[in-house]
Amino acid sequence: MPEPKTDLNERYNPAEVEPKWQATWRERNCFRAEADPSRPKYYVLEMFPYPSGRIHMGHVRNYTLGDVVARYKRARGFNVLHPMGWDAFGLPAENAARDKKVHPHEWTWANIRNMKAELQSMGLSLDWDREFATCDPSYYRHQQKLFLQMMKAGLAYRRESWVNWDPVDHTVLANEQVIDGRGWRSGAVVEKRQLTQWFFRITEWSEQLLAALDGLERWPDRVKAMQTQWIGRSEGLRLTFDLAGDTTAAPDGITVYTTRPDTLFGASFLAISAEHPLAHALAKNNPEIAAFIEECRQSGTSEEELERAEKRGVLTGLTVRHPFIDGHTLPVWVANFVLMEYGTGAIFGCPAHDQRDFDFAKKYGLPILPVVAPAGVDPASVTVGPEATVGDGVLINSGFLDGMSVAEAKRAVIDRVEAAGTGEATINFRLRDWGLSRQRYWGCPIPVIHCTACGIVPVPEQDLPVKLPMDVTFEKPGNALDHHPTWKDVACPECGKPARRETDTMDTFVDSSWYFARFASSDADDTPVRPAEFDYWLPVDQYIGGIEHAILHLLYSRFFTRAMKACGHGDLDEPFDGLFTQGMVTHRTYRGADRRWLYPVEVVRGEDGTLRHAETGEPVTEGPLEKMSKSRNNTVDPGAIIGTYGADTARWFMLSDSPPERDLEWSDEGVKGAWRFMQRLWRLIRATVAEPGHAGAARSEAGTTLLQTLHRTVQDFTQDLDRFHFNKAVARLYELTNAIDRFEPADEADRAVRAEAVSVLVRLIAPMTPHLAEEAWAMLGGAGLVVDQPWPEADPALVVQDTVSIAVQVTGKKRAVLTLPRDADPKDVEAAALAEPNVLRAIDGKPVRKVVVVPNRIVNVVV
RNA sequence: GCGGGCGUGGCGGAAUUGGUAGACGCGCCAGAUUUAGGUUCUGGUGGCGAAAGCUUUGGGGGUUCGAGUCCCUCCGCCCGCACCA
């Protein structure tokens, strides 16, 4: 027998093993994907990174999850597409240019080179041949082409509107990019400005974008709920009130939107937004209104301020006629709580049944007339309470509506208004068109030319791409394209006279709205996407990324996919068939004596258990778990972890313990645990290689048990991978490893069983720790590479156990556990249960009223 | 306020349609190996109890032979949206 002791103590060395297998995979083009209609495809995609310079733990988690799926599906026989690229436009490059005097182009490409090397050290099964960066003209020229096609189709257009202006980043932001009144990137309080901007007509598909959410069965409910809310569909009535008396101020009347037409008889005023055109017109001759409008503009829009803000308004002096009550008029107010962006920017107020109208009426002494008697309240004795009542009930004080339910009354009012021709039933959406103009240099140029004679002229296709000029400076704030001395000067393509290029660039979310489609044919020169490859690879079967894109990127991509279809690119509505949103990677935070944030590596735990600074020895206070971020200094560098422990350890730790959709706490102990397991597997594999055994002879009972454990593990592990239960899958491999370790082979046949178990274990673990698996596969003498091995199949005959343990309860309390043959006769099970001394003691001579026998599970004796 | 989700040991977390609560890992305790640290191995580890046993899934109630799981109710936490008419 060989003496393996010294060999066994030899450590697994990832620094040597991992680059070796990465090189082998690369040399053999293992992960190159080719469209092949004869094979089932599987498209795995993780949200592509912004090239900030370094990868962070969030990337490691994201790409580990995706890589497990990609490698697993590959072993299951799918033709897998698993590409990677770079979301490379964006403001940080311009900030770097300003601060470090390096051109955004240089900065970005240097970052890409660095991050690519880091990603490659993770051993991801990526098809790098399809790589592209969105800042490359070979990508954005196609985006410009798509833009022009969308313009032609009426899906991209230019108009003047109120926009969100970020005073720090000096650019406009889309509604989706304003979070609680602040810019999503800069955090600056957003201002309102009136500018002429380019928009995508996302509202074209409001209804479809909402309805199709139902069909996205493999999307998290949370994300669908957020998009539903964002799209914000409501059904109501658009109704025009005519002015009473002099109608010159608004000859066409004032149109309001309401979802409660049933409460029309309870209306006591009309209110228009301070941004309403009528309010602006009236302000010209009414200083009070002008002052109020100015005041409204300056008041904040943050949640907190709105909470405190009082409902306020000024009278316009106008009155309108009630459509159903002859001779009844309502005053018209300008009010601070009416939004111009929603509905028509005007409402009728029914104080009894809307809390805001109620507050407003209280303040200004307006009538509050209840018109809905809540269920269970006598219609004859309805009183005005301290709050508005908003529920269902029976209509009162409402003429022809009296006695109807809310739903019936809504219908009746709509019918009558439509018959009179003063309004119509309307479906209203909260969703606004997507403003895509950005006053920044480092983005995709919008390919149009402004000509004083011809207007807006698209850049002719043969002139694409409109490239960014390289000779730009960033000393002045604002748009470097605008500051460029000559770039914008161009001859009009139509009349040839001097004209001016559009200097706005596209929102970087445009770049990421179709990159997944480009991956299907990233080398296509003449077209954004080649139809055959688009049809074969799309949709993405499994998309993986952070929840922070629940609305932004995921909604824009759904719009873009429809827009591409409308422009003749593919026949697809929904880009992502399955979506998985991972949790964040968190870490403890630490602060030094002067409250400054400390890096985890600066902190040590002393012998007395207290935390101290590693160098200065000053006391350190431990803060809460927070998302890893530079502002908290609680980041851990993936490069350092991979350098010390190897990529497989980092990957294994990412998959262990925490379910992938939840936050994961990064801890040193956890990483060490993962590292120990890598070493343990390594020893097990070496021991097996040293004593492979011979199959054929009759195996021991313990050997059979091990085989059964093995096949059950294959079955359960596979199921866990299918369900994204990676933490449970990891636990099953621990259990299998424990079982193999505990197993003491009695003879050559047993050793062969162990060798078989280890061989299967290596194939199961390969998607998670691919380098170790590859090295082990080679040592075990497996043919070819482990990445090319088919997925192990569980033998149904070996999955079932011969014996089962059955708990025996007496009136619900466990008193004994029986070990019996599987599927034993219930009568025999009952008899065995009633023969247990512990059971008899618990029965204590009382009459047995009933015995419940659940086959192979439990017996409950009721006394 | 509206919408989504959650509450299980010291910690992360397991528990098919209701059927042995606490798998697996981390941490901790004890022992062995090692010159020592580290590594590795063995055993233990929800709580109370010497033990038999009792008790335990945020609190309370219910349905059931049987509830972490279903129903009612209360409490607490997280996430998203929000003057959306």
Side-chain angles (χ1 to χ4, degrees):
Chain A
M1 190 184 290
E3 174 53 66
K5 197 166 168 51
T6 49
D7 276 346
L8 280 176
N9 287 339
E10 189 184 301
R11 289 270 189 115
Y12 174 66
N13 182 8
E16 195 178 297
V17 170
E18 293 186 348
K20 179 177 76 182
W21 292 110
Q22 286 162 14
T24 303
W25 296 327
R26 190 163 51 242
E27 281 154 20
R28 301 196 193 178
N29 279 322
C30 285
F31 308 120
R32 170 106 135 252
E34 304 280 359
D36 178 358
S38 72
R39 293 181 60 202
K41 65 94 183 180
Y42 202 89
Y43 185 177
V44 187
L45 185 66
E46 301 96 59
M47 291 180 184
F48 69 161
Y50 177 79
S52 58
R54 310 291 298 267
I55 64 170
H56 54 67
M57 283 299 176
H59 291 128
V60 174
R61 192 176 197 195
N62 194 178
Y63 301 136
T64 298
L65 295 173
D67 202 46
V68 170
V69 175
R71 287 175 179 270
Y72 166 63
K73 289 293 177 183
R74 196 164 181 278
R76 292 303 294 263
F78 288 95
N79 187 20
V80 169
L81 172 59
H82 187 207
M84 182 56 73
W86 309 97
D87 189 13
F89 273 136
L91 206 44
E94 287 186 53
N95 292 341
R98 185 194 58 215
D99 300 340
K100 298 176 189 163
K101 309 285 172 219
V102 51
H103 194 281
H105 178 270
E106 299 303 330
W107 184 82
T108 302
W109 283 101
N111 286 347
I112 287 174
R113 279 191 297 278
N114 191 49
M115 283 177 76
K116 183 174 179 178
E118 291 185 309
L119 285 185
Q120 287 181 325
S121 76
M122 283 182 64
L124 303 170
S125 63
L126 292 165
D127 180 359
W128 284 104
D129 289 352
R130 291 169 188 263
E131 175 190 11
F132 60 78
T134 57
C135 65
D136 194 317
S138 68
Y139 179 78
Y140 71 67
R141 66 178 284 204
H142 296 293
Q143 189 162 305
Q144 291 175 340
K145 206 177 294 182
L146 286 172
F147 178 89
L148 294 177
Q149 290 168 357
M150 287 167 75
M151 220 175 116
K152 206 169 174 184
L155 293 167
Y157 66 95
R158 197 162 178 267
R159 71 168 152 94
E160 186 180 52
S161 79
W162 286 98
V163 295
N164 311 297
W165 179 262
D166 185 320
V168 169
D169 284 350
H170 293 281
T171 186
V172 163
L173 296 175
N175 293 333
E176 289 80 1
Q177 292 154 16
V178 179
I179 316 291
D180 197 20
R182 293 169 182 273
W184 70 287
R185 241 194 48 75
S186 71
V189 174
V190 164
E191 298 166 6
K192 288 277 171 197
R193 286 200 184 182
Q194 201 156 23
L195 290 173
T196 300
Q197 298 280 290
W198 287 95
F199 286 86
F200 282 132
R201 204 180 298 280
I202 189 170
T203 56
E204 172 80 12
W205 289 301
S206 298
E207 188 77 65
Q208 290 88 334
L209 288 167
L210 181 68
L213 287 171
D214 278 343
L216 297 175
E217 285 167 15
R218 294 200 297 120
W219 276 44
D221 288 340
R222 196 154 64 120
V223 174
K224 289 192 277 188
M226 284 162 75
Q227 291 208 359
T228 300
Q229 198 165 252
W230 187 261
I231 295 168
R233 183 184 193 275
S234 71
E235 292 181 6
L237 173 68
R238 212 171 259 258
L239 168 64
T240 301
F241 287 79
D242 290 327
L243 290 197
D246 182 4
T247 61
T248 49
D252 297 331
I254 299 171
T255 302
V256 303
Y257 174 74
T258 179
T259 55
R260 291 298 300 275
D262 55 302
T263 62
L264 192 50
F265 282 89
S268 50
F269 64 94
L270 240 65
I272 62 173
S273 165
E275 286 170 21
H276 197 285
L278 178 59
H280 285 287
L282 293 170
K284 284 182 188 138
N285 300 312
N286 185 331
E288 202 193 345
I289 294 177
F292 184 72
I293 292 172
E294 189 51 37
E295 209 180 311
C296 288
R297 186 170 302 163
Q298 280 168 10
S299 69
T301 53
S302 78
E303 182 187 337
E304 214 177 323
E305 283 167 287
L306 291 175
E307 198 76 29
R308 281 199 309 265
E310 231 185 332
K311 305 284 175 287
R312 293 175 45 242
V314 289
L315 273 169
T316 60
L318 304 176
T319 55
V320 294
R321 278 203 284 270
H322 193 286
F324 295 161
I325 309 173
D326 271 349
H328 188 53
T329 60
L330 306 170
V332 179
W333 293 72
V334 180
N336 65 345
F337 65 94
V338 181
L339 304 174
M340 192 59 221
E341 304 89 63
Y342 189 76
T344 60
I347 60 157
F348 78 75
C350 175
H353 304 294
D354 181 285
Q355 191 58 41
R356 294 154 302 179
D357 300 346
F358 184 89
D359 295 344
F360 192 75
K362 279 278 182 193
K363 179 169 171 70
Y364 293 106
L366 299 167
I368 302 175
L369 175 69
V371 291
V372 179
V377 174
D378 175 12
S381 59
V382 171
T383 53
V384 175
E387 288 184 334
T389 59
V390 295
D392 199 1
V394 176
L395 271 284
I396 55 172
N397 302 327
S398 293
F400 69 97
L401 301 175
D402 282 352
M404 292 184 186
S405 70
V406 165
E408 288 163 349
K410 280 182 181 173
R411 191 67 254 165
V413 171
I414 289 169
D415 287 346
R416 192 167 289 207
V417 165
E418 288 187 335
T422 54
E424 56 185 353
T426 307
I427 291 165
N428 196 54
F429 293 93
R430 211 188 76 124
L431 185 67
R432 298 277 81 104
D433 278 339
W434 170 14
L436 68 112
S437 298
R438 295 292 177 273
Q439 291 69 42
R440 306 300 326 176
Y441 165 75
W442 196 234
C444 172
I446 294 173
V448 299
I449 290 162
H450 299 276
C451 171
T452 44
C454 311
I456 292 169
V457 182
V459 172
E461 190 163 331
Q462 68 271 15
D463 294 346
L464 294 182
V466 175
K467 281 194 194 176
L468 290 170
M470 291 299 282
D471 53 334
V472 280
T473 58
F474 296 93
E475 271 93 66
K476 275 191 280 183
N479 186 352
L481 275 186
D482 225 8
H483 304 153
H484 192 281
T486 56
W487 183 78
K488 54 182 177 274
D489 300 328
V490 66
C492 171
E494 283 183 9
C495 67
K497 290 193 196 121
R500 188 176 58 79
R501 279 193 195 285
E502 172 68 64
T503 56
D504 282 355
T505 53
M506 295 186 205
D507 182 358
T508 55
F509 279 97
V510 180
D511 312 338
S512 55
S513 290
W514 70 286
Y515 79 106
F516 48 87
R518 180 68 183 168
F519 275 134
S521 45
S522 61
D523 60 338
D525 205 29
D526 51 336
T527 172
V529 290
R530 273 195 296 264
E533 282 151 291
F534 183 101
D535 291 347
Y536 177 73
W537 288 116
L538 291 169
V540 174
D541 295 278
Q542 186 62 61
Y543 198 34
I544 305 170
I547 187 75
E548 67 272 18
H549 290 293
I551 293 173
L552 293 158
H553 161 60
L554 291 168
L555 185 60
Y556 293 150
S557 297
R558 297 180 61 219
F559 159 71
F560 235 82
T561 303
R562 286 167 170 80
M564 287 177 75
K565 180 178 170 180
C567 295
H569 300 292
D571 182 20
L572 192 66
D573 289 325
E574 289 296 333
F576 311 124
D577 197 41
L579 172 68
F580 189 88
T581 50
Q582 70 193 65
M584 298 181 300
V585 182
T586 65
H587 197 286
R588 291 270 164 218
T589 47
Y590 302 100
R591 280 173 184 246
D594 53 1
R595 304 285 295 156
R596 72 181 195 285
W597 299 100
L598 299 177
Y599 286 98
V601 292
E602 294 180 281
V603 179
V604 290
R605 193 174 287 279
E607 280 177 23
D608 56 352
T610 59
L611 296 172
R612 303 212 160 260
H613 193 281
E615 279 162 26
T616 67
E618 67 183 295
V620 169
T621 47
E622 191 173 30
L625 279 179
E626 293 197 51
K627 178 181 182 177
M628 281 191 182
S629 79
K630 284 176 189 162
S631 65
R632 295 281 185 275
N633 281 359
N634 63 339
T635 54
V636 174
D637 172 29
I641 296 295
I642 292 171
T644 308
Y645 298 104
D648 285 342
T649 295
R651 293 168 62 120
W652 183 254
F653 174 68
M654 282 292 176
L655 298 164
S656 314
D657 298 345
S658 289
E661 68 276 13
R662 287 197 217 167
D663 287 355
L664 169 102
E665 183 190 352
W666 183 273
S667 72
D668 278 352
E669 292 80 10
V671 178
K672 284 185 181 135
W675 167 249
R676 276 201 298 273
F677 183 63
M678 294 301 110
Q679 298 298 343
R680 203 177 140 208
L681 272 180
W682 179 246
R683 287 192 301 273
L684 178 61
I685 289 155
R686 290 182 72 95
T688 306
V689 169
E691 301 179 331
H694 304 290
R699 61 179 178 253
S700 68
E701 200 178 310
T704 302
T705 304
L706 181 62
L707 266 188
Q708 288 172 341
T709 303
L710 178 68
H711 284 261
R712 257 200 324 282
T713 301
V714 170
Q715 177 184 268
D716 295 345
F717 182 79
T718 303
Q719 201 174 70
D720 286 336
L721 289 194
D722 283 329
R723 294 177 185 174
F724 261 85
H725 293 174
F726 297 149
N727 56 321
K728 285 163 66 180
V730 162
R732 296 200 197 281
L733 294 193
Y734 273 117
E735 283 177 307
L736 177 60
T737 306
N738 290 344
I740 300 173
D741 256 346
R742 270 198 303 271
F743 177 60
E744 286 170 13
D747 53 23
E748 289 296 304
D750 272 355
R751 276 189 271 278
V753 169
R754 184 177 66 177
E756 166 66 9
V758 169
S759 165
V760 171
L761 171 62
V762 164
R763 276 170 280 168
L764 293 181
I765 210 169
M768 297 179 160
T769 60
H771 311 88
L772 177 75
E774 207 64 83
E775 183 75 4
W777 186 253
M779 282 170 59
L780 291 165
L785 297 176
V786 78
V787 292
D788 293 326
Q789 300 311 308
W791 195 245
E793 298 278 348
D795 179 349
L798 286 166
V799 166
V800 294
Q801 282 175 290
D802 321 323
T803 59
V804 289
S805 61
I806 297 175
V808 184
Q809 299 179 334
V810 177
T811 325
K813 280 190 197 303
K814 186 170 77 169
R815 297 295 174 185
V817 178
L818 305 171
T819 302
L820 292 173
R822 197 189 155 70
D823 297 329
D825 188 309
K827 286 197 186 69
D828 299 340
V829 176
E830 183 176 333
L834 291 171
E836 281 288 313
N838 252 355
V839 173
L840 288 171
R841 199 178 323 133
I843 292 170
D844 196 24
K846 287 179 226 135
V848 173
R849 291 196 289 148
K850 185 175 172 187
V851 179
V852 180
V853 178
V854 181
N856 299 324
R857 280 197 183 272
I858 206 165
V859 179
N860 195 1
V861 181
V862 187
V863 294

